[in-house]
Amino acid sequence: MSTTDTSSNKPSKSGNFLEQIIEKDLKEGVVQSVQTRFPPEPNGYLHIGHATSICLNFGLAEQFNGQCNLRFDDTNPEKEEQVYVDAIQEDVRWLGFKWSGEVRYASSYFDQFYQWALYLIKEGKAYVDHQDAESMAKNRGDFNTPGVETECRKRSVEENLAEFEKMRAGEYEEGQCSLRARIDLQHSNMNMRDPILYRIRKVPHHQTGDKWCIYPSYDFAHGQEDAIEGVTHSICTLEFQDHRPLYEWFIENLPVPSRPRQYEFARTNLNYTVTSKRKLKRLVDEGIVQSWDDPRMPTVSGMRRRGYTPASIRKFSEMVGVSRSDGIADVSMLEHAIRDDLNNNAARAMAVMNPLKVVITNLPEGEVQEMAAAAHPNKPELGERTLPFTRELYIDRSDFTEDTTLSRKKFKRLVSGEYVRLRSAYVIKSDEVIKDEQGKITEIHCSYVPDTVGENPPEGIRPRGVIHWVSATHGKQAEIRKYDRLFNHPAPDKGDEDFMTHVNPASLEVVTGWVEPSLVDAEPEQGFQFEREGYFVADRREHSATKPVFNMTIGLKDTWANKV
Ligand code: ATP
Ligand code: MG
């Protein structure tokens, strides 16, 4: 049974735990409508983990006829940049989601946060602390040691207001002081031991420029952003579970306009992959990959360039589901999602990666026979393409052998003196092998068997199999980029070693192949199945009719489907 009946938008009782909570909240009138948000920090490009969070937040809003905001959680100006702000919006749109209203920024609430900081000071619930980071950490104690009250904590409201104003005015340097909540230095939850609300950072901000030299902490900002936007269900990852009491403390102790609630779910982790913007940035900065959207990257833009479709990423998110405990998803599941999509939807084409020339000796030079081939075996609506059959062709070097002892079962390709079918064309026979002085095969001379296009050959002629081919005179050369995993370790960032030591040195192989002529008309980002080779996509940035460039999306063989 499926968990949701999307046709009627009515989730069934057996949905994931978040669906169940929302359903209950709506039924009991705790909320009138659902408002979620996706809150990235613009300090890097989005990765596959973020994509699942996007699908979850936007998906829940869609499912319950609610809204989802896109909000940049931009409280950390040193690491953030406008290029990331732009790329993130493009990624969310590409995944097929529409945020409610304008894009939002935490930074547009800075005035309000500042007012709320003053409010807490006036209530005696916040104070300026002049301790340096080291003594602050020491005096907060630890799990076994209660915190110690220092002189700053005993300051009067007036003194705190004056000190905080000095902080804001830039009279103190970074690290000299901070604003802290006055909660409980004995609290068993360390996050409640007078957390920092504001710190001094004398750096300009990509949205607010030089206006501020103090910036709110994540904790002081996030829940209040949610409250300002009327978020009902604020879904974050598990590491924020211990921050929830603090999230709730702010909502309780501030005159906020609404009462959001925080829920946590497990991060999506994938084997053979790192999903951390910081680590992905290192791969870019250290030149391991060419860019954030390098097709080997698990970024949304990298996957897009690799040939993943929005539908496949949404499907993958559905497959990993929503869990409350950490786990590691198998990357082959993601690969299964895209393979399945492309198998159903991608047009077929032929490309020869490692060309070996075949001369059809009984076809005169200059003669071109046009072979019609379906673009997709099950989708006549995708039409046909024309394959020029000419005297000189290419087949793949691995599709020919002189070893006549190989059984028909083992080698279903072309063997000296035997027959094979060329896909969508004739049955041919290998008559003669031509070699250079080193003994390397340079050409195979073959003859075609007339009347075998779409027809069985005459009695006694038994082709071993069907192979792909491209006309050597009408085909086009193309740059073909074949990818392997970026990491050769199943858990690259989980051990003691630096994850960079597990980079696969052979993750990219560039070959010059021959592609059928129709492929020069491929639109950038159009995906194909190159028959018998795998799924490929016309490169989004570099493919053109004059210089065709294809990226390998994924091979044909599904390792995941066999496991389940
Ligand atoms: P990173 O470590 O990659 O920077 P982050 O959590 O710091 O991740 P944010 O920009 O703060 O990145 O994340 C935006 C949203 O995406 C948050 O709600 C976060 O919980 C969610 N998110 C981030 N990584 C994952 C993941 N691997 N799986 C699911 N959700 C994620
Ligand atoms: Mg973060």
Side-chain angles (χ1 to χ4, degrees):
M1 196 181 78
S2 75
T3 51
T4 50
D5 176 358
T6 44
S7 58
S8 65
N9 261 350
K10 276 201 201 106
S12 78
K13 282 248 160 19
S14 59
N16 68 49
F17 78 96
L18 290 168
E19 290 173 334
Q20 287 167 4
I21 288 168
I22 292 176
E23 206 168 337
K24 187 159 175 281
D25 286 350
L26 284 170
K27 199 163 135 219
E28 294 176 357
V30 179
V31 300
Q32 302 312 311
S33 60
V34 173
Q35 175 73 56
T36 56
R37 87 286 172 261
F38 174 65
E41 187 183 353
N43 60 350
Y45 281 58
L46 298 181
H47 53 62
I48 180 67
H50 294 115
T52 58
S53 174
I54 292 170
C55 291
L56 178 62
N57 280 291
F58 282 89
L60 285 170
E62 254 171 35
Q63 188 182 333
F64 292 96
N65 295 316
Q67 300 283 344
C68 182
N69 292 351
L70 173 61
R71 179 210 307 149
F72 289 101
D73 216 346
D74 55 347
T75 55
N76 228 339
E78 296 106 314
K79 301 235 167 87
E80 299 166 3
E81 283 180 43
Q82 185 63 39
V83 286
Y84 301 137
V85 170
D86 297 337
I88 289 170
Q89 292 181 54
E90 189 179 352
D91 287 348
V92 175
R93 256 188 245 115
W94 177 74
L95 283 170
F97 295 109
K98 201 168 176 299
W99 52 86
S100 165
E102 298 291 306
V103 169
R104 290 147 216 260
Y105 296 87
S107 55
S108 62
Y109 312 137
F110 281 175
D111 283 312
Q112 177 67 78
F113 296 160
Y114 180 70
Q115 292 305 320
W116 281 335
L118 294 177
Y119 178 91
L120 287 180
I121 295 174
K122 288 177 194 157
E123 295 277 301
K125 291 174 183 165
Y127 62 99
V128 174
D129 192 344
H130 276 79
Q131 294 182 87
D132 58 30
E134 204 181 320
S135 11
M136 198 188 290
K138 188 170 148 262
N139 289 324
R140 274 177 92 207
D142 56 33
F143 190 67
N144 302 310
T145 329
V148 180
E149 179 159 67
T150 55
E151 283 311 302
C152 291
R153 199 176 194 266
K154 299 175 189 156
R155 278 182 170 143
S156 68
V157 168
E158 288 66 36
E159 210 182 328
N160 277 316
L161 286 173
E163 288 299 309
F164 189 47
E165 172 53 22
K166 279 194 195 167
M167 270 176 72
R168 192 201 58 80
E171 291 177 32
Y172 289 119
E173 294 310 314
E174 288 189 14
Q176 267 190 304
C177 51
S178 52
L179 184 72
R180 294 176 73 180
R182 185 188 273 117
I183 305 180
D184 182 358
L185 282 174
Q186 328 284 311
H187 207 288
S188 57
N189 182 334
M190 291 300 290
N191 293 308
M192 299 297 274
R193 292 193 188 177
D194 292 11
I196 290 180
L197 308 184
Y198 266 95
R199 52 202 155 51
I200 300 168
R201 287 284 180 273
K202 296 199 166 171
V203 287
H205 187 286
H206 52 105
Q207 303 299 322
T208 58
D210 292 326
K211 181 169 176 191
W212 298 96
C213 65
I214 54 171
Y215 291 96
S217 61
Y218 171 89
D219 285 324
F220 188 57
H222 203 91
Q224 284 74 280
E225 294 159 20
D226 288 338
I228 291 170
E229 294 178 8
V231 167
T232 53
H233 298 81
S234 177
I235 300 159
C236 61
T237 39
L238 278 180
E239 69 273 24
F240 292 104
Q241 195 165 348
D242 289 346
H243 294 241
R244 189 172 357 118
L246 183 53
Y247 183 102
E248 288 170 354
W249 189 89
F250 288 126
I251 299 298
E252 286 294 317
N253 287 278
L254 286 169
V256 289
S258 76
R259 307 195 136 251
R261 300 219 27 202
Q262 175 183 303
Y263 300 92
E264 306 89 17
F265 78 111
R267 277 180 178 264
T268 304
N269 298 307
L270 271 183
N271 60 8
Y272 294 98
T273 311
V274 300
T275 46
S276 145
K277 282 178 280 187
R278 189 174 50 80
K279 290 174 190 160
L280 295 174
K281 187 167 188 304
R282 260 186 82 192
L283 293 168
V284 179
D285 290 345
E286 297 182 27
I288 303 295
V289 295
Q290 283 157 10
S291 55
W292 280 96
D293 72 349
D294 187 301
R296 290 166 290 180
M297 290 283 269
T299 51
V300 173
S301 52
M303 293 170 66
R304 176 178 181 180
R305 225 178 137 188
R306 179 78 176 257
Y308 276 80
T309 57
S312 65
I313 294 175
R314 291 168 78 143
K315 175 75 186 173
F316 168 73
S317 297
E318 210 178 284
M319 289 165 85
V320 291
V322 186
S323 161
R324 264 195 277 211
S325 54
D326 276 319
I328 297 176
D330 196 327
V331 69
S332 61
M333 200 157 103
L334 178 63
E335 295 170 350
H336 170 78
I338 184 60
R339 191 181 281 110
D340 198 44
D341 181 352
L342 294 175
N343 183 33
N344 290 327
N345 300 304
R348 273 41 175 176
M350 290 198 280
V352 172
M353 305 287 163
N354 188 8
L356 172 60
K357 188 169 279 184
V358 166
V359 179
I360 308 290
T361 51
N362 56 346
L363 194 72
E365 205 153 327
E367 182 170 332
V368 181
Q369 293 193 21
E370 295 196 333
M371 305 287 151
H376 193 286
N378 312 324
K379 295 207 158 174
E381 66 274 19
L382 292 183
E384 286 186 337
R385 59 204 212 266
T386 304
L387 306 169
F389 184 77
T390 53
R391 182 176 164 90
E392 295 196 348
L393 312 171
Y394 289 120
I395 63 167
D396 201 275
R397 212 162 257 284
S398 63
D399 283 339
F400 175 75
T401 183
E402 292 182 279
D403 183 354
T404 53
T405 65
L406 288 176
S407 73
R408 291 181 69 87
K409 208 170 160 207
K410 245 199 174 135
F411 198 77
K412 298 178 179 171
R413 315 177 200 186
L414 186 60
V415 175
S416 288
E418 296 193 39
Y419 294 89
V420 79
R421 178 179 287 283
L422 297 179
R423 169 80 89 202
S424 302
Y426 291 103
V427 170
I428 60 167
K429 175 170 184 259
S430 157
D431 301 313
E432 190 186 354
V433 177
I434 315 291
K435 297 183 180 170
D436 64 13
E437 284 150 18
Q438 280 77 45
K440 188 180 174 199
I441 300 173
T442 53
E443 283 180 14
I444 312 167
H445 287 188
C446 297
S447 45
Y448 77 95
V449 184
D451 304 323
T452 52
V453 180
E455 303 286 338
N456 285 331
E459 193 100 13
I461 293 181
R462 286 180 66 210
R464 277 190 176 237
V466 184
I467 63 172
H468 60 286
W469 57 280
V470 169
S471 161
T473 42
H474 289 58
K476 305 284 175 201
Q477 275 196 313
E479 178 173 319
I480 297 177
R481 300 167 180 168
K482 296 165 107 176
Y483 301 105
D484 195 357
R485 288 189 173 137
L486 188 51
F487 294 98
N488 51 23
H489 191 284
D493 56 354
K494 297 294 180 295
D496 295 335
E497 284 158 300
D498 182 17
F499 75 99
M500 295 291 265
T501 59
H502 300 304
V503 166
N504 172 7
S507 60
L508 169 64
E509 183 197 356
V510 182
V511 302
T512 303
W514 285 85
V515 298
E516 64 172 74
S518 72
L519 282 175
V520 300
D521 298 327
E523 295 289 333
E525 296 201 65
Q526 194 179 348
F528 296 90
Q529 184 195 94
F530 287 174
E531 298 193 58
R532 301 180 65 239
E533 291 288 354
Y535 296 98
F536 291 78
V537 66
D539 187 68
R540 202 181 151 205
R541 306 214 176 281
E542 291 161 41
H543 171 83
S544 68
T546 44
K547 185 181 179 282
V549 179
F550 291 93
N551 301 329
M552 179 175 195
T553 310
I554 191 78
L556 291 173
K557 207 166 143 243
D558 198 328
T559 50
W560 186 78
N562 302 335
K563 280 187 206 162
V564 290

mmCIF file of all heavy atoms in Angstrom, residues 12-26:
data_model
loop_
_atom_site.group_PDB
_atom_site.id
_atom_site.type_symbol
_atom_site.label_atom_id
_atom_site.label_comp_id
_atom_site.label_asym_id
_atom_site.label_seq_id
_atom_site.Cartn_x
_atom_site.Cartn_y
_atom_site.Cartn_z
ATOM 1 N N SER A 12 -2.728 8.954 3.932
ATOM 2 C CA SER A 12 -3.363 7.917 4.738
ATOM 3 C C SER A 12 -2.714 7.908 6.108
ATOM 4 O O SER A 12 -1.705 8.549 6.346
ATOM 5 C CB SER A 12 -3.163 6.565 4.061
ATOM 6 O OG SER A 12 -1.849 6.136 4.314
ATOM 7 N N LYS A 13 -3.259 7.150 7.004
ATOM 8 C CA LYS A 13 -2.789 7.103 8.388
ATOM 9 C C LYS A 13 -1.348 6.594 8.503
ATOM 10 O O LYS A 13 -0.651 6.880 9.456
ATOM 11 C CB LYS A 13 -3.705 6.180 9.193
ATOM 12 C CG LYS A 13 -5.020 6.858 9.569
ATOM 13 C CD LYS A 13 -5.066 7.071 11.060
ATOM 14 C CE LYS A 13 -6.027 8.108 11.554
ATOM 15 N NZ LYS A 13 -7.101 8.511 10.693
ATOM 16 N N SER A 14 -0.925 5.816 7.517
ATOM 17 C CA SER A 14 0.370 5.165 7.671
ATOM 18 C C SER A 14 1.537 6.003 7.170
ATOM 19 O O SER A 14 2.618 5.495 6.981
ATOM 20 C CB SER A 14 0.349 3.834 6.934
ATOM 21 O OG SER A 14 0.065 4.089 5.579
ATOM 22 N N GLY A 15 1.360 7.300 6.947
ATOM 23 C CA GLY A 15 2.428 8.140 6.432
ATOM 24 C C GLY A 15 3.617 8.210 7.385
ATOM 25 O O GLY A 15 3.594 7.660 8.473
ATOM 26 N N ASN A 16 4.671 8.908 6.970
ATOM 27 C CA ASN A 16 5.838 9.022 7.848
ATOM 28 C C ASN A 16 5.496 9.865 9.079
ATOM 29 O O ASN A 16 4.433 10.479 9.147
ATOM 30 C CB ASN A 16 7.034 9.574 7.072
ATOM 31 C CG ASN A 16 6.835 11.022 6.651
ATOM 32 O OD1 ASN A 16 6.462 11.878 7.459
ATOM 33 N ND2 ASN A 16 7.074 11.305 5.382
ATOM 34 N N PHE A 17 6.405 9.898 10.050
ATOM 35 C CA PHE A 17 6.027 10.509 11.330
ATOM 36 C C PHE A 17 5.678 11.985 11.193
ATOM 37 O O PHE A 17 4.834 12.511 11.915
ATOM 38 C CB PHE A 17 7.105 10.262 12.395
ATOM 39 C CG PHE A 17 8.321 11.145 12.293
ATOM 40 C CD1 PHE A 17 8.411 12.299 13.064
ATOM 41 C CD2 PHE A 17 9.376 10.811 11.453
ATOM 42 C CE1 PHE A 17 9.536 13.112 12.977
ATOM 43 C CE2 PHE A 17 10.498 11.617 11.363
ATOM 44 C CZ PHE A 17 10.582 12.769 12.126
ATOM 45 N N LEU A 18 6.281 12.661 10.230
ATOM 46 C CA LEU A 18 5.949 14.078 10.055
ATOM 47 C C LEU A 18 4.556 14.246 9.452
ATOM 48 O O LEU A 18 3.787 15.116 9.856
ATOM 49 C CB LEU A 18 7.009 14.749 9.168
ATOM 50 C CG LEU A 18 8.378 14.902 9.848
ATOM 51 C CD1 LEU A 18 9.456 15.283 8.843
ATOM 52 C CD2 LEU A 18 8.305 15.934 10.978
ATOM 53 N N GLU A 19 4.247 13.380 8.518
ATOM 54 C CA GLU A 19 2.886 13.416 7.948
ATOM 55 C C GLU A 19 1.854 13.169 9.032
ATOM 56 O O GLU A 19 0.800 13.814 9.078
ATOM 57 C CB GLU A 19 2.739 12.354 6.850
ATOM 58 C CG GLU A 19 3.536 12.667 5.588
ATOM 59 C CD GLU A 19 3.526 11.543 4.558
ATOM 60 O OE1 GLU A 19 3.343 10.371 4.932
ATOM 61 O OE2 GLU A 19 3.711 11.845 3.391
ATOM 62 N N GLN A 20 2.179 12.239 9.918
ATOM 63 C CA GLN A 20 1.232 11.922 10.988
ATOM 64 C C GLN A 20 1.033 13.108 11.926
ATOM 65 O O GLN A 20 -0.084 13.418 12.329
ATOM 66 C CB GLN A 20 1.710 10.696 11.767
ATOM 67 C CG GLN A 20 1.519 9.421 10.965
ATOM 68 C CD GLN A 20 2.256 8.222 11.568
ATOM 69 O OE1 GLN A 20 2.851 8.327 12.641
ATOM 70 N NE2 GLN A 20 2.218 7.110 10.878
ATOM 71 N N ILE A 21 2.147 13.777 12.274
ATOM 72 C CA ILE A 21 2.059 14.939 13.164
ATOM 73 C C ILE A 21 1.219 16.038 12.514
ATOM 74 O O ILE A 21 0.324 16.622 13.127
ATOM 75 C CB ILE A 21 3.484 15.466 13.486
ATOM 76 C CG1 ILE A 21 4.190 14.496 14.430
ATOM 77 C CG2 ILE A 21 3.426 16.869 14.095
ATOM 78 C CD1 ILE A 21 5.688 14.758 14.587
ATOM 79 N N ILE A 22 1.497 16.298 11.251
ATOM 80 C CA ILE A 22 0.783 17.382 10.561
ATOM 81 C C ILE A 22 -0.697 17.055 10.447
ATOM 82 O O ILE A 22 -1.568 17.894 10.703
ATOM 83 C CB ILE A 22 1.413 17.636 9.169
ATOM 84 C CG1 ILE A 22 2.820 18.214 9.348
ATOM 85 C CG2 ILE A 22 0.548 18.581 8.335
ATOM 86 C CD1 ILE A 22 3.586 18.421 8.063
ATOM 87 N N GLU A 23 -0.946 15.827 10.103
ATOM 88 C CA GLU A 23 -2.338 15.400 9.967
ATOM 89 C C GLU A 23 -3.104 15.622 11.272
ATOM 90 O O GLU A 23 -4.224 16.135 11.285
ATOM 91 C CB GLU A 23 -2.348 13.915 9.591
ATOM 92 C CG GLU A 23 -3.570 13.495 8.836
ATOM 93 C CD GLU A 23 -3.400 12.101 8.229
ATOM 94 O OE1 GLU A 23 -2.250 11.658 8.024
ATOM 95 O OE2 GLU A 23 -4.419 11.469 7.987
ATOM 96 N N LYS A 24 -2.454 15.246 12.368
ATOM 97 C CA LYS A 24 -3.073 15.397 13.689
ATOM 98 C C LYS A 24 -3.268 16.875 14.022
ATOM 99 O O LYS A 24 -4.344 17.287 14.481
ATOM 100 C CB LYS A 24 -2.157 14.714 14.717
ATOM 101 C CG LYS A 24 -2.704 14.615 16.104
ATOM 102 C CD LYS A 24 -1.978 13.507 16.882
ATOM 103 C CE LYS A 24 -2.413 13.455 18.336
ATOM 104 N NZ LYS A 24 -1.788 14.475 19.179
ATOM 105 N N ASP A 25 -2.229 17.679 13.768
ATOM 106 C CA ASP A 25 -2.309 19.120 14.058
ATOM 107 C C ASP A 25 -3.454 19.786 13.291
ATOM 108 O O ASP A 25 -4.139 20.659 13.808
ATOM 109 C CB ASP A 25 -0.990 19.817 13.714
ATOM 110 C CG ASP A 25 0.103 19.520 14.732
ATOM 111 O OD1 ASP A 25 -0.216 18.928 15.789
ATOM 112 O OD2 ASP A 25 1.277 19.865 14.476
ATOM 113 N N LEU A 26 -3.624 19.356 12.047
ATOM 114 C CA LEU A 26 -4.705 19.949 11.243
ATOM 115 C C LEU A 26 -6.065 19.500 11.766
ATOM 116 O O LEU A 26 -6.982 20.297 11.899
ATOM 117 C CB LEU A 26 -4.548 19.536 9.778
ATOM 118 C CG LEU A 26 -3.450 20.260 8.985
ATOM 119 C CD1 LEU A 26 -3.236 19.577 7.629
ATOM 120 C CD2 LEU A 26 -3.792 21.739 8.765
#
